[in-house]
Amino acid sequence: MKRPGRRVRRWGCVIALLMFAAVCCAAPISGAIGAVAALQAAADGGGIAAGGSAADIPARMLTAYKKAAQQVGEYAPKCRGMAWPVLAGIAKIESNHAVGRDISAGGDIRPKIYGVLLNGSGAGGNTSAVADTDNGRWDGTADGERAVGPFQFLPSTWEGIGKDANGDGSADPHNADDAALGAAVYLCGNGRNLAQRPALKAAIWQYNHSDTYVADVLGWIDQYAAAAQAPDLGRTTGKARDVIDAALSQRGVPYSWGGGNAAGASYGICCSPSGKSGTAIRGFDCSGLTTYAFARAGIRLPRTAAAQAGAGRRIPASVGTGGLTAGDLVFFAYAPGFDSTIYHVGIYVGGGQMINAARPGTVVRLDAVSAMPGFAGGARLL
C-alpha cells in the first residue's frame, strides 16, 4: 500500500508580479487575464519548469536513480524498460527528490522523511486507520503506520520489496540507494515492460491508485526523459550554431532574477514574485541568457522576453514546435496570442527541447518545451 502523493504549490503575489513585470523575463499582465491563471503560470516556485531536467535533482539522488535502473535486473530479471526518469518521476511527486535534506556519500538521508500518521484523523487526506506493522522501526511510531523515505513506502510494503542496494547489510527506506532500488523492483512487478506506455501506467497506478497521480508522474517522466537526451546539432551551422553553443556553454550556471547581459552572467536584482533575490547570485534569468547567446552571434536583443518577441519574424503558436528550427527563440505567455503577456523565453535546439533558465533555485539547462505552460510560438532572427 502506498499513500497518495502530494504536490506542494506556492503562489506569488499579484502586486509583486505587477511591480516587477518589466524586469527580466516578465511582462505586464493584461487586465483581461485572470490573475489566478497568470500567477499559476508565473509563480517562480510553482508548477512551471520546476523540473524537466536532471538539474533540479540533487546529484546524489540522481546517482541513486541511475544505479537502481542498472541493478533492478538482478532482482526482476524479466523487467524491461526501467530507466532513471521513471524513478525520478515518482520521487519528484513523493518527496521532491529529498531536496533540503542532507544526503551522505552512502545515501543516508537526514532528517528522515515521514508522511502523515495514517490514523483515520483526516489529516493529510487519510481517512482510514492503518495498523502498525514495524513497531516503529522505520516510521518512528508504534501508534500506526506512516509512509517513509524519498519514495514514501509504508513499512508493510517495504517489508516485501526492500533491497540493500549499497551493500551495508541493511535495506533501509531512508537510504537513497535502497529506496530507489526498492521502488524499481516494485514498479517492475512480475516482469513488466515499462517501455510500453500501458505497462508504465499500470505500474504507476499500482504505486498509487489515482488517475491524477498517474498523469502527474507521467508528465515528470516525459520531461526528464526528454531533457536527458543530448540535442542533435549535426545540421545546425552558422549563427544558429553560435547562439546554441553559447547558451549550452552556460549549462549549470545558476538562475539569477535580473541577471545576465550581452557580456555574460551578472548579479541580479531583488526580487522575484515570490521574493527571491538575485543580488547575491551571479547568473542568468531567461531573457538575460538569450541576450548573451545572441550577442555571441552579433545580434543585439532587447532585455525582456516580451520585447524580444518583436525582434524577429514571429512564428505563431498554432504551428507548434514543428514550425521552429534550431536557434529560434521560443516564448510562453499568460494568454498565448497576446504578446504583451509573454513572461518567459528560451532558445530552441530541436527535438522539442530548449535551453532554459527556468526559475530561482535552478540552473541553465535543457528542458522539454512542454515543461512550461502557455506556449506562445517563437521568433526567428537568424
mmCIF file with all atom_site columns, all heavy atoms in Angstrom, residues 107-134:
data_model
loop_
_atom_site.group_PDB
_atom_site.id
_atom_site.type_symbol
_atom_site.label_atom_id
_atom_site.label_alt_id
_atom_site.label_comp_id
_atom_site.label_asym_id
_atom_site.label_entity_id
_atom_site.label_seq_id
_atom_site.pdbx_PDB_ins_code
_atom_site.Cartn_x
_atom_site.Cartn_y
_atom_site.Cartn_z
_atom_site.occupancy
_atom_site.B_iso_or_equiv
_atom_site.pdbx_formal_charge
_atom_site.auth_seq_id
_atom_site.auth_comp_id
_atom_site.auth_asym_id
_atom_site.auth_atom_id
_atom_site.pdbx_PDB_model_num
ATOM 1   N N   . GLY A 1 107 ? 24.394  7.454  0.933  1.00 0.00 ? 107 GLY A N   1
ATOM 2   C CA  . GLY A 1 107 ? 22.987  7.540  0.546  1.00 0.00 ? 107 GLY A CA  1
ATOM 3   C C   . GLY A 1 107 ? 22.006  7.763  1.670  1.00 0.00 ? 107 GLY A C   1
ATOM 4   O O   . GLY A 1 107 ? 20.800  7.892  1.420  1.00 0.00 ? 107 GLY A O   1
ATOM 5   N N   . ASP A 1 108 ? 22.463  7.812  2.934  1.00 0.00 ? 108 ASP A N   1
ATOM 6   C CA  . ASP A 1 108 ? 21.542  8.030  4.044  1.00 0.00 ? 108 ASP A CA  1
ATOM 7   C C   . ASP A 1 108 ? 21.003  9.457  4.014  1.00 0.00 ? 108 ASP A C   1
ATOM 8   O O   . ASP A 1 108 ? 21.758  10.418 3.838  1.00 0.00 ? 108 ASP A O   1
ATOM 9   C CB  . ASP A 1 108 ? 22.238  7.771  5.377  1.00 0.00 ? 108 ASP A CB  1
ATOM 10  C CG  . ASP A 1 108 ? 22.577  6.299  5.584  1.00 0.00 ? 108 ASP A CG  1
ATOM 11  O OD1 . ASP A 1 108 ? 21.835  5.448  5.064  1.00 0.00 ? 108 ASP A OD1 1
ATOM 12  O OD2 . ASP A 1 108 ? 23.585  6.012  6.256  1.00 0.00 ? 108 ASP A OD2 1
ATOM 13  N N   . ILE A 1 109 ? 19.698  9.586  4.187  1.00 0.00 ? 109 ILE A N   1
ATOM 14  C CA  . ILE A 1 109 ? 19.006  10.879 4.106  1.00 0.00 ? 109 ILE A CA  1
ATOM 15  C C   . ILE A 1 109 ? 18.621  11.326 5.509  1.00 0.00 ? 109 ILE A C   1
ATOM 16  O O   . ILE A 1 109 ? 17.941  10.603 6.242  1.00 0.00 ? 109 ILE A O   1
ATOM 17  C CB  . ILE A 1 109 ? 17.752  10.761 3.216  1.00 0.00 ? 109 ILE A CB  1
ATOM 18  C CG1 . ILE A 1 109 ? 18.144  10.364 1.794  1.00 0.00 ? 109 ILE A CG1 1
ATOM 19  C CG2 . ILE A 1 109 ? 16.969  12.067 3.213  1.00 0.00 ? 109 ILE A CG2 1
ATOM 20  C CD1 . ILE A 1 109 ? 16.965  10.003 0.912  1.00 0.00 ? 109 ILE A CD1 1
ATOM 21  N N   . ARG A 1 110 ? 19.072  12.523 5.878  1.00 0.00 ? 110 ARG A N   1
ATOM 22  C CA  . ARG A 1 110 ? 18.752  13.071 7.194  1.00 0.00 ? 110 ARG A CA  1
ATOM 23  C C   . ARG A 1 110 ? 18.393  14.550 7.058  1.00 0.00 ? 110 ARG A C   1
ATOM 24  O O   . ARG A 1 110 ? 19.062  15.268 6.310  1.00 0.00 ? 110 ARG A O   1
ATOM 25  C CB  . ARG A 1 110 ? 19.944  12.908 8.147  1.00 0.00 ? 110 ARG A CB  1
ATOM 26  C CG  . ARG A 1 110 ? 20.332  11.454 8.411  1.00 0.00 ? 110 ARG A CG  1
ATOM 27  C CD  . ARG A 1 110 ? 19.249  10.684 9.177  1.00 0.00 ? 110 ARG A CD  1
ATOM 28  N NE  . ARG A 1 110 ? 19.678  9.322  9.491  1.00 0.00 ? 110 ARG A NE  1
ATOM 29  C CZ  . ARG A 1 110 ? 19.501  8.273  8.684  1.00 0.00 ? 110 ARG A CZ  1
ATOM 30  N NH1 . ARG A 1 110 ? 18.902  8.446  7.517  1.00 0.00 ? 110 ARG A NH1 1
ATOM 31  N NH2 . ARG A 1 110 ? 19.907  7.074  9.055  1.00 0.00 ? 110 ARG A NH2 1
ATOM 32  N N   . PRO A 1 111 ? 17.401  15.055 7.768  1.00 0.00 ? 111 PRO A N   1
ATOM 33  C CA  . PRO A 1 111 ? 16.489  14.275 8.584  1.00 0.00 ? 111 PRO A CA  1
ATOM 34  C C   . PRO A 1 111 ? 15.637  13.333 7.735  1.00 0.00 ? 111 PRO A C   1
ATOM 35  O O   . PRO A 1 111 ? 15.435  13.565 6.545  1.00 0.00 ? 111 PRO A O   1
ATOM 36  C CB  . PRO A 1 111 ? 15.626  15.321 9.273  1.00 0.00 ? 111 PRO A CB  1
ATOM 37  C CG  . PRO A 1 111 ? 15.743  16.545 8.434  1.00 0.00 ? 111 PRO A CG  1
ATOM 38  C CD  . PRO A 1 111 ? 17.085  16.503 7.787  1.00 0.00 ? 111 PRO A CD  1
ATOM 39  N N   . LYS A 1 112 ? 15.158  12.286 8.367  1.00 0.00 ? 112 LYS A N   1
ATOM 40  C CA  . LYS A 1 112 ? 14.351  11.297 7.663  1.00 0.00 ? 112 LYS A CA  1
ATOM 41  C C   . LYS A 1 112 ? 13.040  11.914 7.186  1.00 0.00 ? 112 LYS A C   1
ATOM 42  O O   . LYS A 1 112 ? 12.565  12.899 7.747  1.00 0.00 ? 112 LYS A O   1
ATOM 43  C CB  . LYS A 1 112 ? 14.071  10.104 8.582  1.00 0.00 ? 112 LYS A CB  1
ATOM 44  C CG  . LYS A 1 112 ? 15.327  9.348  9.001  1.00 0.00 ? 112 LYS A CG  1
ATOM 45  C CD  . LYS A 1 112 ? 14.993  8.216  9.965  1.00 0.00 ? 112 LYS A CD  1
ATOM 46  C CE  . LYS A 1 112 ? 16.257  7.471  10.362 1.00 0.00 ? 112 LYS A CE  1
ATOM 47  N NZ  . LYS A 1 112 ? 15.965  6.367  11.324 1.00 0.00 ? 112 LYS A NZ  1
ATOM 48  N N   . ILE A 1 113 ? 12.485  11.326 6.145  1.00 0.00 ? 113 ILE A N   1
ATOM 49  C CA  . ILE A 1 113 ? 11.246  11.840 5.555  1.00 0.00 ? 113 ILE A CA  1
ATOM 50  C C   . ILE A 1 113 ? 10.084  10.952 5.995  1.00 0.00 ? 113 ILE A C   1
ATOM 51  O O   . ILE A 1 113 ? 10.068  9.752  5.714  1.00 0.00 ? 113 ILE A O   1
ATOM 52  C CB  . ILE A 1 113 ? 11.337  11.857 4.020  1.00 0.00 ? 113 ILE A CB  1
ATOM 53  C CG1 . ILE A 1 113 ? 12.527  12.704 3.566  1.00 0.00 ? 113 ILE A CG1 1
ATOM 54  C CG2 . ILE A 1 113 ? 10.038  12.389 3.409  1.00 0.00 ? 113 ILE A CG2 1
ATOM 55  C CD1 . ILE A 1 113 ? 12.808  12.626 2.076  1.00 0.00 ? 113 ILE A CD1 1
ATOM 56  N N   . TYR A 1 114 ? 9.129   11.562 6.701  1.00 0.00 ? 114 TYR A N   1
ATOM 57  C CA  . TYR A 1 114 ? 7.958   10.835 7.177  1.00 0.00 ? 114 TYR A CA  1
ATOM 58  C C   . TYR A 1 114 ? 6.687   11.449 6.594  1.00 0.00 ? 114 TYR A C   1
ATOM 59  O O   . TYR A 1 114 ? 6.556   12.676 6.497  1.00 0.00 ? 114 TYR A O   1
ATOM 60  C CB  . TYR A 1 114 ? 7.849   10.905 8.703  1.00 0.00 ? 114 TYR A CB  1
ATOM 61  C CG  . TYR A 1 114 ? 8.963   10.216 9.453  1.00 0.00 ? 114 TYR A CG  1
ATOM 62  C CD1 . TYR A 1 114 ? 9.841   10.951 10.251 1.00 0.00 ? 114 TYR A CD1 1
ATOM 63  C CD2 . TYR A 1 114 ? 9.123   8.841  9.397  1.00 0.00 ? 114 TYR A CD2 1
ATOM 64  C CE1 . TYR A 1 114 ? 10.855  10.333 10.968 1.00 0.00 ? 114 TYR A CE1 1
ATOM 65  C CE2 . TYR A 1 114 ? 10.138  8.203  10.102 1.00 0.00 ? 114 TYR A CE2 1
ATOM 66  C CZ  . TYR A 1 114 ? 11.003  8.952  10.882 1.00 0.00 ? 114 TYR A CZ  1
ATOM 67  O OH  . TYR A 1 114 ? 12.007  8.333  11.583 1.00 0.00 ? 114 TYR A OH  1
ATOM 68  N N   . GLY A 1 115 ? 5.742   10.599 6.243  1.00 0.00 ? 115 GLY A N   1
ATOM 69  C CA  . GLY A 1 115 ? 4.420   11.061 5.852  1.00 0.00 ? 115 GLY A CA  1
ATOM 70  C C   . GLY A 1 115 ? 3.541   11.248 7.079  1.00 0.00 ? 115 GLY A C   1
ATOM 71  O O   . GLY A 1 115 ? 3.986   11.096 8.225  1.00 0.00 ? 115 GLY A O   1
ATOM 72  N N   . VAL A 1 116 ? 2.277   11.580 6.855  1.00 0.00 ? 116 VAL A N   1
ATOM 73  C CA  . VAL A 1 116 ? 1.346   11.779 7.973  1.00 0.00 ? 116 VAL A CA  1
ATOM 74  C C   . VAL A 1 116 ? 1.014   10.434 8.603  1.00 0.00 ? 116 VAL A C   1
ATOM 75  O O   . VAL A 1 116 ? 1.075   9.379  7.950  1.00 0.00 ? 116 VAL A O   1
ATOM 76  C CB  . VAL A 1 116 ? 0.052   12.473 7.506  1.00 0.00 ? 116 VAL A CB  1
ATOM 77  C CG1 . VAL A 1 116 ? 0.346   13.849 6.952  1.00 0.00 ? 116 VAL A CG1 1
ATOM 78  C CG2 . VAL A 1 116 ? -0.683  11.621 6.472  1.00 0.00 ? 116 VAL A CG2 1
ATOM 79  N N   . LEU A 1 117 ? 0.675   10.446 9.870  1.00 0.00 ? 117 LEU A N   1
ATOM 80  C CA  . LEU A 1 117 ? 0.266   9.242  10.565 1.00 0.00 ? 117 LEU A CA  1
ATOM 81  C C   . LEU A 1 117 ? -1.112  8.825  10.062 1.00 0.00 ? 117 LEU A C   1
ATOM 82  O O   . LEU A 1 117 ? -2.068  9.604  10.108 1.00 0.00 ? 117 LEU A O   1
ATOM 83  C CB  . LEU A 1 117 ? 0.223   9.486  12.077 1.00 0.00 ? 117 LEU A CB  1
ATOM 84  C CG  . LEU A 1 117 ? -0.142  8.286  12.949 1.00 0.00 ? 117 LEU A CG  1
ATOM 85  C CD1 . LEU A 1 117 ? 0.919   7.189  12.824 1.00 0.00 ? 117 LEU A CD1 1
ATOM 86  C CD2 . LEU A 1 117 ? -0.302  8.715  14.405 1.00 0.00 ? 117 LEU A CD2 1
ATOM 87  N N   . LEU A 1 118 ? -1.188  7.597  9.557  1.00 0.00 ? 118 LEU A N   1
ATOM 88  C CA  . LEU A 1 118 ? -2.446  7.105  8.970  1.00 0.00 ? 118 LEU A CA  1
ATOM 89  C C   . LEU A 1 118 ? -3.317  6.517  10.070 1.00 0.00 ? 118 LEU A C   1
ATOM 90  O O   . LEU A 1 118 ? -3.406  5.302  10.278 1.00 0.00 ? 118 LEU A O   1
ATOM 91  C CB  . LEU A 1 118 ? -2.135  6.068  7.890  1.00 0.00 ? 118 LEU A CB  1
ATOM 92  C CG  . LEU A 1 118 ? -1.283  6.584  6.728  1.00 0.00 ? 118 LEU A CG  1
ATOM 93  C CD1 . LEU A 1 118 ? -0.972  5.480  5.738  1.00 0.00 ? 118 LEU A CD1 1
ATOM 94  C CD2 . LEU A 1 118 ? -1.974  7.752  6.028  1.00 0.00 ? 118 LEU A CD2 1
ATOM 95  N N   . ASN A 1 119 ? -3.982  7.423  10.775 1.00 0.00 ? 119 ASN A N   1
ATOM 96  C CA  . ASN A 1 119 ? -4.814  7.026  11.906 1.00 0.00 ? 119 ASN A CA  1
ATOM 97  C C   . ASN A 1 119 ? -6.285  7.322  11.692 1.00 0.00 ? 119 ASN A C   1
ATOM 98  O O   . ASN A 1 119 ? -7.089  7.249  12.624 1.00 0.00 ? 119 ASN A O   1
ATOM 99  C CB  . ASN A 1 119 ? -4.331  7.720  13.183 1.00 0.00 ? 119 ASN A CB  1
ATOM 100 C CG  . ASN A 1 119 ? -4.324  9.240  13.050 1.00 0.00 ? 119 ASN A CG  1
ATOM 101 O OD1 . ASN A 1 119 ? -4.773  9.791  12.043 1.00 0.00 ? 119 ASN A OD1 1
ATOM 102 N ND2 . ASN A 1 119 ? -3.797  9.914  14.070 1.00 0.00 ? 119 ASN A ND2 1
ATOM 103 N N   . GLY A 1 120 ? -6.657  7.694  10.454 1.00 0.00 ? 120 GLY A N   1
ATOM 104 C CA  . GLY A 1 120 ? -8.053  7.976  10.151 1.00 0.00 ? 120 GLY A CA  1
ATOM 105 C C   . GLY A 1 120 ? -8.529  9.332  10.588 1.00 0.00 ? 120 GLY A C   1
ATOM 106 O O   . GLY A 1 120 ? -9.724  9.628  10.517 1.00 0.00 ? 120 GLY A O   1
ATOM 107 N N   . SER A 1 121 ? -7.604  10.199 11.016 1.00 0.00 ? 121 SER A N   1
ATOM 108 C CA  . SER A 1 121 ? -7.998  11.508 11.533 1.00 0.00 ? 121 SER A CA  1
ATOM 109 C C   . SER A 1 121 ? -8.444  12.477 10.451 1.00 0.00 ? 121 SER A C   1
ATOM 110 O O   . SER A 1 121 ? -9.063  13.493 10.745 1.00 0.00 ? 121 SER A O   1
ATOM 111 C CB  . SER A 1 121 ? -6.827  12.133 12.305 1.00 0.00 ? 121 SER A CB  1
ATOM 112 O OG  . SER A 1 121 ? -5.766  12.458 11.413 1.00 0.00 ? 121 SER A OG  1
ATOM 113 N N   . GLY A 1 122 ? -8.090  12.178 9.213  1.00 0.00 ? 122 GLY A N   1
ATOM 114 C CA  . GLY A 1 122 ? -8.381  13.105 8.120  1.00 0.00 ? 122 GLY A CA  1
ATOM 115 C C   . GLY A 1 122 ? -7.221  14.013 7.793  1.00 0.00 ? 122 GLY A C   1
ATOM 116 O O   . GLY A 1 122 ? -7.192  14.630 6.727  1.00 0.00 ? 122 GLY A O   1
ATOM 117 N N   . ALA A 1 123 ? -6.245  14.116 8.689  1.00 0.00 ? 123 ALA A N   1
ATOM 118 C CA  . ALA A 1 123 ? -5.078  14.971 8.452  1.00 0.00 ? 123 ALA A CA  1
ATOM 119 C C   . ALA A 1 123 ? -4.280  14.428 7.277  1.00 0.00 ? 123 ALA A C   1
ATOM 120 O O   . ALA A 1 123 ? -4.005  13.232 7.194  1.00 0.00 ? 123 ALA A O   1
ATOM 121 C CB  . ALA A 1 123 ? -4.197  15.014 9.696  1.00 0.00 ? 123 ALA A CB  1
ATOM 122 N N   . GLY A 1 124 ? -3.928  15.329 6.357  1.00 0.00 ? 124 GLY A N   1
ATOM 123 C CA  . GLY A 1 124 ? -3.151  14.917 5.200  1.00 0.00 ? 124 GLY A CA  1
ATOM 124 C C   . GLY A 1 124 ? -3.922  14.071 4.211  1.00 0.00 ? 124 GLY A C   1
ATOM 125 O O   . GLY A 1 124 ? -3.334  13.458 3.327  1.00 0.00 ? 124 GLY A O   1
ATOM 126 N N   . GLY A 1 125 ? -5.250  14.022 4.356  1.00 0.00 ? 125 GLY A N   1
ATOM 127 C CA  . GLY A 1 125 ? -6.070  13.283 3.398  1.00 0.00 ? 125 GLY A CA  1
ATOM 128 C C   . GLY A 1 125 ? -6.323  11.842 3.777  1.00 0.00 ? 125 GLY A C   1
ATOM 129 O O   . GLY A 1 125 ? -7.016  11.127 3.057  1.00 0.00 ? 125 GLY A O   1
ATOM 130 N N   . ASN A 1 126 ? -5.809  11.363 4.939  1.00 0.00 ? 126 ASN A N   1
ATOM 131 C CA  . ASN A 1 126 ? -6.044  9.965  5.304  1.00 0.00 ? 126 ASN A CA  1
ATOM 132 C C   . ASN A 1 126 ? -7.364  9.835  6.053  1.00 0.00 ? 126 ASN A C   1
ATOM 133 O O   . ASN A 1 126 ? -7.660  10.590 6.971  1.00 0.00 ? 126 ASN A O   1
ATOM 134 C CB  . ASN A 1 126 ? -4.872  9.416  6.123  1.00 0.00 ? 126 ASN A CB  1
ATOM 135 C CG  . ASN A 1 126 ? -4.944  9.766  7.595  1.00 0.00 ? 126 ASN A CG  1
ATOM 136 O OD1 . ASN A 1 126 ? -5.475  9.016  8.407  1.00 0.00 ? 126 ASN A OD1 1
ATOM 137 N ND2 . ASN A 1 126 ? -4.383  10.930 7.948  1.00 0.00 ? 126 ASN A ND2 1
ATOM 138 N N   . THR A 1 127 ? -8.164  8.890  5.642  1.00 0.00 ? 127 THR A N   1
ATOM 139 C CA  . THR A 1 127 ? -9.474  8.672  6.265  1.00 0.00 ? 127 THR A CA  1
ATOM 140 C C   . THR A 1 127 ? -9.613  7.269  6.839  1.00 0.00 ? 127 THR A C   1
ATOM 141 O O   . THR A 1 127 ? -10.602 6.975  7.497  1.00 0.00 ? 127 THR A O   1
ATOM 142 C CB  . THR A 1 127 ? -10.603 8.901  5.242  1.00 0.00 ? 127 THR A CB  1
ATOM 143 O OG1 . THR A 1 127 ? -10.393 8.049  4.103  1.00 0.00 ? 127 THR A OG1 1
ATOM 144 C CG2 . THR A 1 127 ? -10.632 10.355 4.773  1.00 0.00 ? 127 THR A CG2 1
ATOM 145 N N   . SER A 1 128 ? -8.640  6.398  6.589  1.00 0.00 ? 128 SER A N   1
ATOM 146 C CA  . SER A 1 128 ? -8.679  5.034  7.108  1.00 0.00 ? 128 SER A CA  1
ATOM 147 C C   . SER A 1 128 ? -7.447  4.785  7.968  1.00 0.00 ? 128 SER A C   1
ATOM 148 O O   . SER A 1 128 ? -6.329  5.084  7.552  1.00 0.00 ? 128 SER A O   1
ATOM 149 C CB  . SER A 1 128 ? -8.716  4.015  5.969  1.00 0.00 ? 128 SER A CB  1
ATOM 150 O OG  . SER A 1 128 ? -9.861  4.207  5.164  1.00 0.00 ? 128 SER A OG  1
ATOM 151 N N   . ALA A 1 129 ? -7.674  4.232  9.147  1.00 0.00 ? 129 ALA A N   1
ATOM 152 C CA  . ALA A 1 129 ? -6.557  3.924  10.030 1.00 0.00 ? 129 ALA A CA  1
ATOM 153 C C   . ALA A 1 129 ? -5.805  2.697  9.518  1.00 0.00 ? 129 ALA A C   1
ATOM 154 O O   . ALA A 1 129 ? -6.408  1.735  9.057  1.00 0.00 ? 129 ALA A O   1
ATOM 155 C CB  . ALA A 1 129 ? -7.062  3.669  11.443 1.00 0.00 ? 129 ALA A CB  1
ATOM 156 N N   . VAL A 1 130 ? -4.470  2.755  9.566  1.00 0.00 ? 130 VAL A N   1
ATOM 157 C CA  . VAL A 1 130 ? -3.623  1.638  9.168  1.00 0.00 ? 130 VAL A CA  1
ATOM 158 C C   . VAL A 1 130 ? -2.834  1.203  10.394 1.00 0.00 ? 130 VAL A C   1
ATOM 159 O O   . VAL A 1 130 ? -2.092  1.997  10.982 1.00 0.00 ? 130 VAL A O   1
ATOM 160 C CB  . VAL A 1 130 ? -2.667  2.017  8.023  1.00 0.00 ? 130 VAL A CB  1
ATOM 161 C CG1 . VAL A 1 130 ? -1.787  0.829  7.639  1.00 0.00 ? 130 VAL A CG1 1
ATOM 162 C CG2 . VAL A 1 130 ? -3.458  2.504  6.815  1.00 0.00 ? 130 VAL A CG2 1
ATOM 163 N N   . ALA A 1 131 ? -2.994  -0.052 10.779 1.00 0.00 ? 131 ALA A N   1
ATOM 164 C CA  . ALA A 1 131 ? -2.352  -0.552 11.995 1.00 0.00 ? 131 ALA A CA  1
ATOM 165 C C   . ALA A 1 131 ? -0.841  -0.631 11.834 1.00 0.00 ? 131 ALA A C   1
ATOM 166 O O   . ALA A 1 131 ? -0.332  -0.883 10.737 1.00 0.00 ? 131 ALA A O   1
ATOM 167 C CB  . ALA A 1 131 ? -2.918  -1.927 12.349 1.00 0.00 ? 131 ALA A CB  1
ATOM 168 N N   . ASP A 1 132 ? -0.130  -0.446 12.925 1.00 0.00 ? 132 ASP A N   1
ATOM 169 C CA  . ASP A 1 132 ? 1.321   -0.530 12.924 1.00 0.00 ? 132 ASP A CA  1
ATOM 170 C C   . ASP A 1 132 ? 1.787   -1.935 12.572 1.00 0.00 ? 132 ASP A C   1
ATOM 171 O O   . ASP A 1 132 ? 1.190   -2.925 12.996 1.00 0.00 ? 132 ASP A O   1
ATOM 172 C CB  . ASP A 1 132 ? 1.848   -0.152 14.308 1.00 0.00 ? 132 ASP A CB  1
ATOM 173 C CG  . ASP A 1 132 ? 3.355   -0.316 14.409 1.00 0.00 ? 132 ASP A CG  1
ATOM 174 O OD1 . ASP A 1 132 ? 4.069   0.460  13.752 1.00 0.00 ? 132 ASP A OD1 1
ATOM 175 O OD2 . ASP A 1 132 ? 3.803   -1.226 15.128 1.00 0.00 ? 132 ASP A OD2 1
ATOM 176 N N   . THR A 1 133 ? 2.852   -2.018 11.756 1.00 0.00 ? 133 THR A N   1
ATOM 177 C CA  . THR A 1 133 ? 3.403   -3.321 11.381 1.00 0.00 ? 133 THR A CA  1
ATOM 178 C C   . THR A 1 133 ? 4.875   -3.462 11.725 1.00 0.00 ? 133 THR A C   1
ATOM 179 O O   . THR A 1 133 ? 5.414   -4.568 11.682 1.00 0.00 ? 133 THR A O   1
ATOM 180 C CB  . THR A 1 133 ? 3.241   -3.576 9.868  1.00 0.00 ? 133 THR A CB  1
ATOM 181 O OG1 . THR A 1 133 ? 4.005   -2.600 9.139  1.00 0.00 ? 133 THR A OG1 1
ATOM 182 C CG2 . THR A 1 133 ? 1.785   -3.513 9.446  1.00 0.00 ? 133 THR A CG2 1
ATOM 183 N N   . ASP A 1 134 ? 5.546   -2.360 12.052 1.00 0.00 ? 134 ASP A N   1
ATOM 184 C CA  . ASP A 1 134 ? 7.001   -2.430 12.250 1.00 0.00 ? 134 ASP A CA  1
ATOM 185 C C   . ASP A 1 134 ? 7.438   -2.004 13.643 1.00 0.00 ? 134 ASP A C   1
ATOM 186 O O   . ASP A 1 134 ? 8.634   -1.868 13.900 1.00 0.00 ? 134 ASP A O   1
ATOM 187 C CB  . ASP A 1 134 ? 7.716   -1.579 11.202 1.00 0.00 ? 134 ASP A CB  1
ATOM 188 C CG  . ASP A 1 134 ? 7.484   -0.088 11.397 1.00 0.00 ? 134 ASP A CG  1
ATOM 189 O OD1 . ASP A 1 134 ? 6.442   0.287  11.989 1.00 0.00 ? 134 ASP A OD1 1
ATOM 190 O OD2 . ASP A 1 134 ? 8.336   0.710  10.962 1.00 0.00 ? 134 ASP A OD2 1
#
